[in-house]
């Protein structure tokens, strides 16, 4: 807005004391100060309001005005409440430094002027930005993306002073405004994603407002423009794949025009999201072809040829064929007829990207197919030296979900479950079928665990843990009841702690001294408790077979 418009607004009570030739200056903001040197808080274009508390004598005016003029402020407005008439020395200093000066009537609060300027400036910026966003949208829909979502986020920052970020459903930063103060921390990203997914699952109307620490964010969903948005659409089909726009502001009192503008921004970013999804088609097709060859028992030479085709697509510039790793995922919803394969496919394409990375580039290395309710990822690994088997490289099941567990749990809510299995790295086409079966077995181990989000790796398949998930429930209950119920009943009646004693005894490999020390008992007291366990169960804890039965019963209970 122009200074002339402020002077023409009677409700603001402004009286011009100097600077008639400068009334066409543009006002970009407003700041109230009584500091002698407010330069660190000025960026140019402000209307500065002051109560003159900084002025102790006439010599103070010139330095103060010179600081404002050097900072490029639009004008100075001085209140008459403190001194009555504005001092002549301040008028002279403003004329000398070509800084327009207004007097503010003592009946007008600075807050009234501030509110008027902010409302006018924001409205003008929103109109200008809306035109830019609309032009950018037309460019993106008709041809290649002109810089992606970063461009429009930079516009939000420069024209509306809004810091904004695009986040994946797991909280991975996809894009952010370059003028934003500081990048969001991983913890804040995960918190925002979890709050957003929880709001979507409970049907709350967007934008969703979230406070993290002392900062308030408004969260806008970014829904794919190619998907149905009708009433028949089940939100669970896309909740684990849709991006979100996080804006550092409270949108609760925004006018409809600004809300509409942000909705336009989300639609613009959705175009880019669809474009990136389309770019995954080739990688998905490669994964599907390899998967079909492996499952139909094709010759290793045929599978190897297909892998040689896939390597340059997934790892451009790689000299040698990489090793491969297989990850299997399944997403299931209670009582819902939702095809789980596509949901799990989108989920794998997201979580196999390093959660601390930014941008889409790392996802270009992942090829994911789906069959039925299962998604299968083919993950290329850089070739390792012959001294290593590659088992410690690549995707690790115990770390795979660590950074994304909270957001995923929020998206799954109380009716969804995600389970993943990870194979070891394989060095050739001959090993790929075994890797697929290994990943599937690991996923079943994960599915036997409690929790909404679980993963298991190939390391666990060399343990008895692999067998336990496949014991039928009725056999499991009968086995554990026969061995442990007498001990539980005795503990309940006598508070004897036989079950904890049994667990500690087995964990100490039957060592009386170590077990007594761990439980802070005398060895004779420990021997009495173990004797009572043997008496109640008719078992002998000196025999390996009975030790093993107790061990498995405790694991299955």
């Amino acid at each position: 807005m122009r200074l002339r418009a402020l002077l023409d607004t009677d409700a603001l009570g402004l009286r011009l004391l100097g600077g008639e030739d400068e009334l066409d200056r543009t006002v970009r903001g407003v700041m109230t100060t009584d500091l002698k040197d407010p330069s660190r808080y000025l960026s140019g274009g402000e209307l500065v309001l002051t109560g003159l508390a900084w002025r102790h004598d006439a010599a103070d005016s010139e330095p103060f005005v010179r600081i404002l003029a050097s900072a490029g402020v639009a004008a100075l407005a001085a209140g008459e409440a403190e001194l009555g008439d504005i001092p002549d020395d301040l008028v002279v200093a403003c004329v000398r430094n070509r800084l327009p000066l207004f007097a503010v009537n003592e009946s007008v609060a600075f807050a009234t002027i501030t509110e008027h300027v902010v409302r006018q400036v924001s409205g003008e910026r929103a109109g200008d930005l809306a035109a830019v966003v609309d032009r950018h949208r037309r460019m993106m829909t008709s041809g290649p993306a002109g810089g992606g979502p970063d461009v429009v986020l930079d516009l939000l920052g420069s024209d509306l002073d809004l810091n904004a970020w695009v986040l994946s459903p797991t909280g991975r930063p996809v894009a952010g405004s370059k003028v934003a103060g500081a990048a969001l921390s991983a913890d804040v990203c995960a918190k925002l994603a979890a709050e957003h997914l929880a709001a979507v699952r409970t049907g709350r109307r967007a934008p969703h407002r979230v406070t993290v620490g002392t900062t308030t964010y408004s969260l806008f969903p970014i829904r794919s423009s190619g998907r149905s948005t009708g009433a028949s659409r089940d939100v669970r089909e896309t909740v684990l794949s849709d991006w979100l726009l996080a804006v550092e502001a409270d949108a609760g009192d925004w006018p409809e025009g600004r809300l509409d503008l942000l909705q336009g921004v989300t639609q613009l970013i959705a175009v880019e999201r669809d474009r990136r999804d389309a770019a995954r088609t080739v990688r998905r097709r490669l994964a599907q072809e390899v998967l079909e060859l492996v499952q139909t028992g094709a010759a290793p030479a045929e599978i190897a040829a297909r892998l040689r085709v896939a390597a340059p697509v997934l790892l451009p510039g790689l000299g040698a064929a990489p090793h491969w790793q297989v990850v299997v995922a399944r997403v299931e919803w209670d009582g819902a007829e939702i095809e789980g394969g596509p949901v799990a496919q989108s989920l794998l394409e997201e979580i196999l990207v390093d959660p601390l990375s930014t941008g889409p580039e790392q996802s270009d290395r992942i090829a994911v197919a789906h069959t039925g309710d299962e998604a299968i990822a083919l993950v290329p690994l850089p070739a390792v030296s012959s001294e290593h088997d590659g088992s410690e490289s690549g995707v690790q099941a115990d770390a795979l979900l660590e950074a994304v567990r909270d957001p995923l749990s929020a998206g799954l809510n109380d009716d969804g479950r995600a389970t993943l299995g990870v194979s070891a790295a394989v060095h050739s086409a001959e090993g790929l079928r075994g890797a697929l079966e290994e990943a599937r077995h690991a996923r079943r181990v994960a599915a036997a665990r409690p929790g909404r989000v679980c993963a298991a790796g190939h390391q666990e398949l060399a343990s008895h843990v692999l067998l336990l998930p496949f014991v039928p429930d009725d056999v499991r209950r009968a086995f554990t009841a026969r061995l442990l119920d007498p001990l539980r009943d005795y503990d309940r009646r006598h508070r004897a702690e036989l079950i904890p004693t049994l667990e500690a005894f087995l964990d100490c490999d039957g060592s009386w001294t170590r077990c007594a020390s761990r439980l802070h008992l005398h060895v004779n007291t420990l021997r009495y408790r173990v004797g009572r366990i043997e008496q109640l169960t008719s078992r002998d804890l000196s025999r390996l077979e009975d030790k093993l039965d107790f061990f498995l019963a405790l694991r299955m209970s």
Side-chain angles (χ1 to χ4, degrees), residues 121-285:
V121 170
S122 296
E124 292 175 3
R125 286 180 180 174
D128 293 342
L129 182 59
V132 174
V133 168
D134 184 64
R135 182 168 65 253
H136 196 66
R137 182 191 296 114
R138 292 196 300 271
M139 291 173 58
M140 291 183 67
T141 53
S142 61
D150 299 272
V151 173
V152 72
L153 296 187
D154 286 341
L155 290 173
L156 287 177
S158 62
D159 284 27
L160 289 185
D161 296 325
L162 291 177
N163 292 341
W165 300 263
V166 176
L167 304 179
S168 77
T170 60
R172 179 176 61 87
V174 176
S177 170
K178 293 184 179 63
V179 298
L184 294 178
S185 69
D187 289 343
V188 172
C189 288
K191 174 72 172 176
L192 295 179
E195 292 288 344
H196 171 73
L197 291 177
V200 171
R201 287 304 314 276
T202 54
R204 296 196 338 244
R205 184 179 179 183
H208 314 125
R209 286 175 288 163
V210 179
T211 299
V212 180
T214 58
T215 305
T216 299
Y217 301 87
S218 297
L219 310 178
F220 297 80
I222 301 173
R223 298 189 174 94
S224 173
S225 58
R227 293 180 184 134
S228 169
T229 56
S232 61
R233 176 179 178 267
D234 193 321
V235 69
R236 290 172 291 187
E237 296 176 4
T238 58
V239 68
L240 299 182
S241 59
D242 283 341
W243 290 351
L244 67 129
L245 175 66
V247 180
E248 188 179 339
D250 187 344
D253 56 355
W254 281 5
E256 286 297 321
R258 179 168 284 206
L259 289 173
D260 289 344
L261 173 61
L262 267 293
Q263 293 297 339
V265 169
T266 64
Q267 293 169 13
L268 177 59
I269 297 172
V271 173
E272 176 66 10
R273 172 63 194 273
D274 290 345
R275 197 185 307 280
R276 293 181 183 180
D277 278 348
R280 290 176 172 171
T281 302
V282 174
R283 299 193 300 277
R284 287 176 172 178
R285 186 183 302 122

Side-chain angles (χ1 to χ4, degrees), residues 473-485:
D473 288 343
D474 54 346
V475 175
R476 184 193 300 259
R477 286 191 294 268
F479 181 75
T480 57
R482 188 177 300 115
L483 277 177
L484 302 182
D485 279 2

Side-chain angles (χ1 to χ4, degrees), residues 3 18-23 25 62 65-66 68-70 72-76 90-101:
L3 287 175
E20 291 184 0
D21 296 338
E22 307 292 337
L23 290 181
R25 288 188 182 187
E62 178 68 26
V65 172
R66 190 182 302 120
L68 299 189
S70 299
V73 304
L76 174 65
L90 180 59
V91 176
V92 171
C94 287
V95 170
R96 183 182 297 118
N97 290 277
R98 299 182 62 82
L99 181 67
L101 176 63

Side-chain angles (χ1 to χ4, degrees), residues 326-465:
V326 176
V327 181
V328 172
R330 194 180 184 98
V331 175
E332 301 166 290
W333 305 98
D334 297 339
E337 296 183 2
I338 297 175
E339 189 178 0
V343 179
Q345 183 180 47
S346 296
L347 178 61
L348 271 187
E349 288 173 336
E350 169 57 34
I351 66 174
L352 286 173
V353 180
D354 181 354
L356 299 181
S357 70
T358 58
E361 292 78 9
Q362 289 202 11
S363 63
D364 292 343
R365 298 177 51 178
I366 311 300
V368 186
H370 71 84
T371 173
D373 288 334
E374 184 180 67
I376 300 167
L378 191 63
V379 183
L381 306 175
V384 294
S385 63
S386 58
E387 294 85 22
H388 299 84
D389 62 5
S391 59
E392 296 303 319
S393 63
V395 178
Q396 299 295 315
D398 55 354
L400 186 60
L401 300 176
E402 183 176 350
V404 300
R405 188 178 302 278
D406 288 345
L408 286 184
S409 297
L412 294 165
N413 203 2
D414 294 329
D415 59 347
R417 193 153 193 260
T419 52
L420 294 91
V422 181
S423 78
V426 295
H427 309 202
S428 64
E430 289 88 344
L432 206 55
R433 182 177 180 84
L436 175 58
E437 292 305 314
E438 191 173 59
R440 282 174 167 162
H441 281 304
R443 193 206 64 78
R444 294 191 194 101
V445 171
R449 295 172 174 165
R452 290 287 168 190
V453 183
C454 297
H458 62 92
Q459 301 92 336
E460 301 178 57
L461 303 188
S463 166
H464 66 278
V465 176

Side-chain angles (χ1 to χ4, degrees), residues 30 43 67 79 130 177 191 227 256 311 360 372 394 485 495 514 524 534 549 553:
V30 62
S43 58
I67 289 171
S177 170
K191 174 72 172 176
R227 293 180 184 134
E256 286 297 321
D485 279 2
R495 298 183 180 179
R514 282 195 290 127
N524 289 342
E534 293 175 332
D549 283 348

